[in-house]
Amino acid sequence: MHEIDSHTAVCGLLGYPIGHSVSPAIHNTLSERLGINMVYVPLAVEEDKLGTVIVGADGWKFPGMNVTIPYKEKVIPFCSELDPFAEKIGAVNTLVRQEAGGYKGYNTDAPGLYRALKEEGMDPLDKEVILLGAGGVAKAIAVLMVEKGAKRVYILNRTVEKAESLAAECNRIAGRDLVIPMALSDYKELTGSGYLAIQATNIGMFPKEDAVVIDDDAFYEKLDAGFDTIYNPAETVFMKKCRARGKKAVNGLKMLLYQGVIAYELWNNVSVPDELADQVYEKLCGILGTGK
Ligand code: NAP
Protein backbone atom coordinates (compact mmCIF):
# COMPACT_ATOMS: atom_id res chain seq x y z
CA MET A 1 0.00 0.00 0.00
CA HIS A 2 1.08 3.60 -0.64
CA GLU A 3 2.58 5.23 2.45
CA ILE A 4 -0.17 7.17 4.22
CA ASP A 5 0.86 10.81 4.31
CA SER A 6 -0.64 14.29 4.36
CA HIS A 7 -1.87 13.89 0.77
CA THR A 8 -3.65 10.55 1.14
CA ALA A 9 -7.17 10.73 -0.27
CA VAL A 10 -9.92 8.88 1.60
CA CYS A 11 -12.80 7.02 -0.03
CA GLY A 12 -15.12 4.56 1.62
CA LEU A 13 -18.29 2.54 1.85
CA LEU A 14 -21.36 4.14 3.44
CA GLY A 15 -23.86 1.70 4.91
CA TYR A 16 -25.30 0.38 8.15
CA PRO A 17 -24.43 -2.05 9.43
CA ILE A 18 -21.44 -2.93 7.25
CA GLY A 19 -20.80 -6.61 7.64
CA HIS A 20 -18.04 -8.36 5.77
CA SER A 21 -17.31 -6.41 2.60
CA VAL A 22 -14.80 -7.08 -0.15
CA SER A 23 -15.00 -3.49 -1.44
CA PRO A 24 -11.93 -2.37 0.57
CA ALA A 25 -9.98 -5.20 -1.10
CA ILE A 26 -11.08 -4.02 -4.57
CA HIS A 27 -10.17 -0.36 -4.10
CA ASN A 28 -7.06 -0.72 -1.98
CA THR A 29 -5.63 -3.28 -4.42
CA LEU A 30 -6.31 -0.93 -7.33
CA SER A 31 -4.59 1.96 -5.50
CA GLU A 32 -1.63 -0.22 -4.61
CA ARG A 33 -1.14 -1.50 -8.17
CA LEU A 34 -1.75 1.89 -9.81
CA GLY A 35 0.41 3.76 -7.26
CA ILE A 36 -2.47 6.07 -6.35
CA ASN A 37 -2.32 7.67 -2.92
CA MET A 38 -5.81 6.70 -1.74
CA VAL A 39 -7.25 4.53 1.03
CA TYR A 40 -10.72 3.01 1.10
CA VAL A 41 -12.37 2.31 4.42
CA PRO A 42 -15.75 1.09 5.70
CA LEU A 43 -17.89 4.02 6.89
CA ALA A 44 -20.70 2.58 9.03
CA VAL A 45 -23.12 5.46 9.58
CA GLU A 46 -26.45 5.52 11.40
CA GLU A 47 -29.28 6.99 9.40
CA ASP A 48 -29.73 10.21 11.37
CA LYS A 49 -26.08 11.07 10.68
CA LEU A 50 -26.06 10.32 6.95
CA GLY A 51 -26.37 13.97 5.82
CA THR A 52 -23.84 15.18 8.40
CA VAL A 53 -21.32 12.59 7.26
CA ILE A 54 -21.69 13.55 3.59
CA VAL A 55 -21.19 17.24 4.42
CA GLY A 56 -18.15 16.25 6.50
CA ALA A 57 -16.72 14.11 3.70
CA ASP A 58 -17.11 17.08 1.35
CA GLY A 59 -15.28 19.24 3.88
CA TRP A 60 -12.44 16.70 3.97
CA LYS A 61 -12.55 16.51 0.18
CA PHE A 62 -13.08 12.73 0.07
CA PRO A 63 -13.03 12.06 -3.70
CA GLY A 64 -15.95 9.67 -3.38
CA MET A 65 -17.87 6.99 -1.55
CA ASN A 66 -19.81 3.87 -2.35
CA VAL A 67 -23.26 3.51 -0.89
CA THR A 68 -24.78 0.21 0.16
CA ILE A 69 -27.82 -1.13 2.02
CA PRO A 70 -29.87 0.62 3.40
CA TYR A 71 -28.94 3.97 1.84
CA LYS A 72 -29.01 3.59 -1.96
CA GLU A 73 -32.24 5.62 -2.14
CA LYS A 74 -31.92 7.59 1.11
CA VAL A 75 -28.67 9.19 -0.05
CA ILE A 76 -30.32 10.91 -3.04
CA PRO A 77 -31.50 14.06 -1.18
CA PHE A 78 -27.88 14.64 -0.12
CA CYS A 79 -26.52 14.60 -3.69
CA SER A 80 -25.77 17.95 -5.33
CA GLU A 81 -26.65 16.39 -8.71
CA LEU A 82 -27.52 13.02 -10.20
CA ASP A 83 -26.24 11.17 -13.21
CA PRO A 84 -29.23 10.65 -15.58
CA PHE A 85 -29.16 6.84 -15.23
CA ALA A 86 -29.13 7.01 -11.41
CA GLU A 87 -31.97 9.50 -11.59
CA LYS A 88 -33.96 7.18 -13.84
CA ILE A 89 -33.68 4.21 -11.50
CA GLY A 90 -33.79 6.24 -8.28
CA ALA A 91 -30.79 4.47 -6.70
CA VAL A 92 -27.24 5.66 -6.09
CA ASN A 93 -24.35 3.39 -5.16
CA THR A 94 -21.49 5.79 -5.93
CA LEU A 95 -20.88 9.40 -4.90
CA VAL A 96 -18.31 11.44 -6.82
CA ARG A 97 -17.08 14.75 -5.43
CA GLN A 98 -17.46 17.66 -7.80
CA GLU A 99 -14.89 20.39 -8.41
CA ALA A 100 -17.16 23.02 -6.84
CA GLY A 101 -17.93 20.75 -3.88
CA GLY A 102 -20.87 18.44 -3.22
CA TYR A 103 -21.36 14.90 -4.52
CA LYS A 104 -22.85 13.71 -7.78
CA GLY A 105 -24.74 10.42 -7.45
CA TYR A 106 -24.14 7.56 -9.90
CA ASN A 107 -25.28 3.98 -10.16
CA THR A 108 -22.47 1.62 -11.15
CA ASP A 109 -24.29 -1.63 -10.22
CA ALA A 110 -26.06 -1.80 -13.57
CA PRO A 111 -23.06 -0.89 -15.78
CA GLY A 112 -21.03 -3.33 -13.65
CA LEU A 113 -23.52 -6.08 -14.42
CA TYR A 114 -23.56 -5.13 -18.11
CA ARG A 115 -19.78 -5.38 -18.37
CA ALA A 116 -19.91 -8.78 -16.62
CA LEU A 117 -22.70 -10.02 -18.91
CA LYS A 118 -20.82 -8.96 -22.05
CA GLU A 119 -17.62 -10.57 -20.84
CA GLU A 120 -19.49 -13.83 -20.22
CA GLY A 121 -21.13 -13.81 -23.67
CA MET A 122 -24.55 -12.99 -22.18
CA ASP A 123 -25.31 -9.73 -24.00
CA PRO A 124 -29.04 -8.98 -23.50
CA LEU A 125 -29.31 -7.38 -26.96
CA ASP A 126 -32.30 -8.91 -28.79
CA LYS A 127 -32.72 -11.52 -26.04
CA GLU A 128 -35.84 -12.45 -24.12
CA VAL A 129 -34.85 -11.78 -20.52
CA ILE A 130 -36.41 -13.23 -17.36
CA LEU A 131 -35.66 -11.08 -14.35
CA LEU A 132 -36.32 -12.77 -11.01
CA GLY A 133 -36.97 -10.10 -8.37
CA ALA A 134 -38.19 -6.52 -8.27
CA GLY A 135 -36.11 -5.08 -5.41
CA GLY A 136 -33.42 -2.39 -5.54
CA VAL A 137 -30.95 -4.25 -7.75
CA ALA A 138 -33.66 -5.67 -10.01
CA LYS A 139 -34.87 -2.12 -10.63
CA ALA A 140 -31.46 -1.09 -11.97
CA ILE A 141 -31.23 -4.29 -14.02
CA ALA A 142 -34.71 -3.84 -15.55
CA VAL A 143 -33.89 -0.33 -16.75
CA LEU A 144 -30.53 -1.55 -18.03
CA MET A 145 -32.22 -4.33 -20.04
CA VAL A 146 -34.53 -1.76 -21.65
CA GLU A 147 -31.61 0.53 -22.49
CA LYS A 148 -29.43 -2.28 -23.84
CA GLY A 149 -31.94 -3.55 -26.34
CA ALA A 150 -33.52 -6.64 -24.78
CA LYS A 151 -36.30 -7.94 -27.05
CA ARG A 152 -38.66 -8.51 -24.11
CA VAL A 153 -38.26 -8.54 -20.33
CA TYR A 154 -40.40 -10.63 -17.98
CA ILE A 155 -40.20 -9.49 -14.35
CA LEU A 156 -41.22 -12.27 -11.95
CA ASN A 157 -41.58 -11.32 -8.31
CA ARG A 158 -43.10 -12.70 -5.12
CA THR A 159 -44.93 -9.40 -4.55
CA VAL A 160 -46.53 -9.01 -7.95
CA GLU A 161 -47.48 -5.35 -7.33
CA LYS A 162 -43.78 -4.47 -7.19
CA ALA A 163 -43.21 -6.23 -10.52
CA GLU A 164 -46.16 -4.29 -11.95
CA SER A 165 -44.96 -0.87 -10.88
CA LEU A 166 -41.41 -1.61 -12.06
CA ALA A 167 -42.69 -2.84 -15.42
CA ALA A 168 -44.86 0.28 -15.79
CA GLU A 169 -41.86 2.51 -15.08
CA CYS A 170 -39.68 0.60 -17.58
CA ASN A 171 -42.39 0.75 -20.26
CA ARG A 172 -42.69 4.49 -19.70
CA ILE A 173 -38.92 4.81 -20.25
CA ALA A 174 -39.01 2.49 -23.28
CA GLY A 175 -42.05 4.26 -24.75
CA ARG A 176 -43.68 0.89 -25.52
CA ASP A 177 -44.85 -2.31 -23.82
CA LEU A 178 -41.56 -4.16 -23.61
CA VAL A 179 -41.65 -5.33 -19.99
CA ILE A 180 -44.21 -7.78 -18.63
CA PRO A 181 -44.84 -8.23 -14.90
CA MET A 182 -45.67 -11.69 -13.56
CA ALA A 183 -46.00 -13.57 -10.29
CA LEU A 184 -43.11 -15.93 -9.50
CA SER A 185 -45.39 -18.93 -9.92
CA ASP A 186 -46.33 -17.80 -13.45
CA TYR A 187 -43.03 -19.03 -14.93
CA LYS A 188 -45.01 -21.95 -16.39
CA GLU A 189 -46.66 -19.49 -18.76
CA LEU A 190 -43.34 -18.67 -20.41
CA THR A 191 -43.29 -20.61 -23.63
CA GLY A 192 -40.39 -21.52 -25.89
CA SER A 193 -36.73 -21.45 -24.92
CA GLY A 194 -33.52 -19.41 -25.21
CA TYR A 195 -34.21 -17.01 -22.34
CA LEU A 196 -31.48 -15.18 -20.45
CA ALA A 197 -32.44 -15.41 -16.75
CA ILE A 198 -31.07 -12.95 -14.21
CA GLN A 199 -31.54 -13.93 -10.57
CA ALA A 200 -31.86 -10.74 -8.49
CA THR A 201 -33.59 -11.94 -5.30
CA ASN A 202 -31.91 -12.69 -1.98
CA ILE A 203 -32.82 -16.36 -2.25
CA GLY A 204 -29.81 -18.68 -2.12
CA MET A 205 -27.44 -16.30 -0.38
CA PHE A 206 -25.12 -17.47 2.37
CA PRO A 207 -26.05 -18.72 5.01
CA LYS A 208 -29.34 -19.95 3.44
CA GLU A 209 -27.55 -21.36 0.44
CA ASP A 210 -29.83 -24.39 -0.05
CA ALA A 211 -32.71 -22.20 -1.19
CA VAL A 212 -33.67 -21.37 -4.76
CA VAL A 213 -36.29 -18.99 -6.06
CA ILE A 214 -37.75 -21.42 -8.64
CA ASP A 215 -37.20 -25.10 -7.92
CA ASP A 216 -38.88 -26.72 -10.93
CA ASP A 217 -36.28 -28.15 -13.35
CA ALA A 218 -38.63 -27.48 -16.24
CA PHE A 219 -37.97 -23.75 -15.76
CA TYR A 220 -34.23 -24.20 -16.32
CA GLU A 221 -34.88 -26.19 -19.47
CA LYS A 222 -36.26 -23.02 -21.08
CA LEU A 223 -33.08 -21.00 -20.48
CA ASP A 224 -30.12 -20.28 -22.67
CA ALA A 225 -28.07 -19.02 -19.71
CA GLY A 226 -28.44 -17.88 -16.11
CA PHE A 227 -26.74 -15.02 -14.26
CA ASP A 228 -27.05 -14.95 -10.47
CA THR A 229 -26.33 -11.58 -8.80
CA ILE A 230 -25.35 -13.52 -5.66
CA TYR A 231 -21.61 -14.30 -5.35
CA ASN A 232 -21.54 -16.03 -1.96
CA PRO A 233 -21.79 -19.01 -2.35
CA ALA A 234 -19.88 -19.03 -5.63
CA GLU A 235 -22.24 -21.65 -7.03
CA THR A 236 -25.85 -21.08 -5.96
CA VAL A 237 -28.61 -23.67 -6.33
CA PHE A 238 -29.93 -21.49 -9.19
CA MET A 239 -26.59 -21.90 -10.97
CA LYS A 240 -26.41 -25.64 -10.21
CA LYS A 241 -29.84 -26.11 -11.74
CA CYS A 242 -28.82 -24.18 -14.87
CA ARG A 243 -25.66 -26.25 -15.22
CA ALA A 244 -27.49 -29.54 -14.61
CA ARG A 245 -29.48 -28.73 -17.76
CA GLY A 246 -26.30 -27.93 -19.69
CA LYS A 247 -26.85 -24.16 -19.54
CA LYS A 248 -24.13 -21.62 -18.84
CA ALA A 249 -24.34 -20.08 -15.37
CA VAL A 250 -22.35 -17.23 -13.83
CA ASN A 251 -22.32 -15.70 -10.33
CA GLY A 252 -22.35 -12.01 -9.35
CA LEU A 253 -18.67 -11.60 -8.43
CA LYS A 254 -17.71 -9.90 -11.69
CA MET A 255 -20.69 -7.58 -11.31
CA LEU A 256 -19.36 -6.62 -7.88
CA LEU A 257 -15.85 -6.23 -9.27
CA TYR A 258 -16.89 -3.99 -12.15
CA GLN A 259 -19.23 -1.76 -10.12
CA GLY A 260 -16.15 -1.10 -7.98
CA VAL A 261 -13.81 -0.61 -10.94
CA ILE A 262 -16.22 1.87 -12.57
CA ALA A 263 -16.53 3.81 -9.27
CA TYR A 264 -12.74 3.85 -8.91
CA GLU A 265 -12.35 5.20 -12.43
CA LEU A 266 -14.84 7.99 -11.68
CA TRP A 267 -13.06 9.01 -8.47
CA ASN A 268 -9.55 8.98 -9.86
CA ASN A 269 -10.12 9.86 -13.50
CA VAL A 270 -8.14 6.80 -14.61
CA SER A 271 -8.83 3.79 -16.76
CA VAL A 272 -8.21 0.46 -15.01
CA PRO A 273 -6.45 -1.94 -17.41
CA ASP A 274 -8.24 -5.27 -18.04
CA GLU A 275 -5.28 -7.28 -16.72
CA LEU A 276 -5.43 -5.39 -13.43
CA ALA A 277 -9.20 -5.97 -13.14
CA ASP A 278 -8.46 -9.69 -13.69
CA GLN A 279 -5.87 -9.64 -10.91
CA VAL A 280 -8.36 -8.03 -8.51
CA TYR A 281 -10.90 -10.68 -9.51
CA GLU A 282 -8.41 -13.44 -8.62
CA LYS A 283 -7.83 -11.76 -5.28
CA LEU A 284 -11.58 -11.63 -4.56
CA CYS A 285 -11.91 -15.32 -5.39
CA GLY A 286 -9.11 -15.98 -2.90
CA ILE A 287 -10.75 -13.88 -0.16
CA LEU A 288 -14.11 -15.55 -0.65
CA GLY A 289 -12.45 -18.95 -0.87
CA THR A 290 -14.16 -19.63 -4.18
CA GLY A 291 -13.10 -20.91 -7.53
CA LYS A 292 -13.67 -18.78 -10.61
P1 NAP B 1 -34.03 -6.06 -2.03
O1 NAP B 1 -34.26 -4.69 -2.54
O2 NAP B 1 -34.28 -6.35 -0.59
O3 NAP B 1 -34.94 -7.06 -2.92
C1 NAP B 1 -35.05 -8.42 -2.56
C2 NAP B 1 -35.76 -9.20 -3.65
O4 NAP B 1 -35.79 -10.58 -3.25
C3 NAP B 1 -37.22 -8.79 -3.85
O5 NAP B 1 -37.58 -8.99 -5.19
C4 NAP B 1 -37.95 -9.76 -2.92
O6 NAP B 1 -39.29 -10.01 -3.28
C5 NAP B 1 -37.14 -11.03 -3.16
N1 NAP B 1 -37.30 -11.95 -2.05
C6 NAP B 1 -36.81 -11.80 -0.79
N2 NAP B 1 -37.17 -12.87 -0.04
C7 NAP B 1 -37.92 -13.67 -0.82
C8 NAP B 1 -38.58 -14.92 -0.62
N3 NAP B 1 -38.54 -15.56 0.55
N4 NAP B 1 -39.24 -15.48 -1.66
C9 NAP B 1 -39.28 -14.86 -2.87
N5 NAP B 1 -38.67 -13.67 -3.13
C10 NAP B 1 -38.00 -13.08 -2.11
O7 NAP B 1 -32.53 -6.56 -2.29
P2 NAP B 1 -31.50 -6.02 -3.40
O8 NAP B 1 -30.68 -4.95 -2.79
O9 NAP B 1 -32.23 -5.79 -4.66
O10 NAP B 1 -30.54 -7.30 -3.56
C11 NAP B 1 -30.96 -8.43 -4.29
C12 NAP B 1 -29.81 -9.35 -4.61
O11 NAP B 1 -28.83 -8.65 -5.36
C13 NAP B 1 -29.09 -9.91 -3.38
O12 NAP B 1 -29.02 -11.30 -3.54
C14 NAP B 1 -27.70 -9.33 -3.45
O13 NAP B 1 -26.72 -10.27 -3.08
C15 NAP B 1 -27.55 -9.04 -4.93
N6 NAP B 1 -26.59 -7.95 -5.19
C16 NAP B 1 -25.47 -8.23 -5.90
C17 NAP B 1 -24.57 -7.23 -6.18
C18 NAP B 1 -23.32 -7.55 -6.95
O14 NAP B 1 -22.54 -6.64 -7.19
N7 NAP B 1 -23.13 -8.77 -7.37
C19 NAP B 1 -24.78 -5.92 -5.74
C20 NAP B 1 -25.92 -5.66 -5.00
C21 NAP B 1 -26.83 -6.69 -4.72
P3 NAP B 1 -40.49 -9.10 -2.68
O15 NAP B 1 -40.51 -7.85 -3.53
O16 NAP B 1 -41.68 -9.94 -2.83
O17 NAP B 1 -40.13 -8.81 -1.25
Side-chain angles (χ1 to χ4, degrees):
M1 196 158 111
H2 199 286
E3 189 86 30
I4 291 180
D5 58 23
S6 53
H7 300 291
T8 304
V10 180
C11 289
L13 176 62
L14 281 175
Y16 196 83
I18 299 180
H20 178 71
S21 168
V22 294
S23 289
I26 297 176
H27 296 285
N28 291 323
T29 305
L30 289 173
S31 292
E32 182 187 308
R33 302 286 162 82
L34 292 168
I36 289 179
N37 191 0
M38 179 193 119
V39 290
Y40 182 99
V41 291
L43 300 166
V45 176
E46 289 186 50
E47 190 173 340
D48 62 338
K49 296 288 189 301
L50 186 61
T52 315
V53 163
I54 292 171
V55 170
D58 190 26
W60 275 306
K61 299 193 167 74
F62 285 13
M65 286 163 283
N66 284 133
V67 183
T68 187
I69 291 169
Y71 299 140
K72 288 187 183 183
E73 293 172 5
K74 289 179 179 141
V75 78
I76 289 177
F78 303 110
C79 294
S80 58
E81 59 182 304
L82 288 179
D83 171 70
F85 184 78
E87 188 165 17
K88 223 178 257 179
I89 62 174
V92 161
N93 80 321
T94 299
L95 299 172
V96 181
R97 190 169 185 278
Q98 302 300 288
E99 193 86 24
Y103 288 94
K104 181 169 176 178
Y106 290 82
N107 186 294
T108 69
D109 284 328
L113 168 73
Y114 185 58
R115 187 161 163 189
L117 284 173
K118 297 256 288 188
E119 200 171 289
E120 299 291 353
M122 296 179 175
D123 193 331
L125 181 68
D126 291 331
K127 292 287 279 188
E128 293 210 280
V129 177
I130 300 171
L131 176 58
L132 301 172
V137 167
K139 203 170 165 190
I141 296 172
V143 175
L144 180 81
M145 293 301 110
V146 167
E147 294 205 337
K148 297 301 178 188
K151 190 153 90 186
R152 196 159 286 282
V153 182
Y154 301 90
I155 302 177
L156 278 61
N157 197 45
R158 176 179 60 176
T159 311
V160 74
E161 294 77 22
K162 277 169 69 180
E164 283 167 356
S165 64
L166 177 53
E169 178 63 11
C170 289
N171 286 331
R172 193 189 58 73
I173 291 168
R176 61 198 167 100
D177 283 346
L178 184 77
V179 182
I180 297 164
M182 296 170 91
L184 264 183
S185 52
D186 287 345
Y187 68 86
K188 293 185 185 115
E189 292 174 15
L190 294 167
T191 55
S193 58
Y195 296 94
L196 167 64
I198 303 180
Q199 200 302 107
T201 75
N202 303 322
I203 312 291
M205 260 170 97
F206 178 83
K208 293 186 179 168
E209 50 201 69
D210 293 336
V212 64
V213 65
I214 296 176
D215 195 31
D216 186 354
D217 288 336
F219 169 72
Y220 298 87
E221 198 58 63
K222 299 174 202 243
L223 309 184
D224 183 32
F227 187 102
D228 201 330
T229 59
I230 293 172
Y231 53 85
N232 189 12
E235 189 185 42
T236 60
V237 177
F238 171 84
M239 291 167 62
K240 282 187 183 135
K241 283 182 169 280
C242 289
R243 287 174 178 166
R245 298 273 149 185
K247 314 300 165 93
K248 185 176 170 105
V250 172
N251 70 28
L253 193 56
K254 281 197 177 162
M255 172 182 173
L256 181 78
L257 167 72
Y258 289 130
Q259 64 74 32
V261 165
I262 296 166
Y264 192 91
E265 291 177 333
L266 287 166
W267 297 331
N268 293 295
N269 204 17
V270 292
S271 176
V272 172
D274 289 348
E275 313 80 67
L276 177 53
D278 290 346
Q279 287 166 16
V280 177
Y281 181 69
E282 300 278 340
K283 182 159 186 169
L284 297 182
C285 290
I287 292 169
L288 292 166
T290 62
K292 287 204 276 173

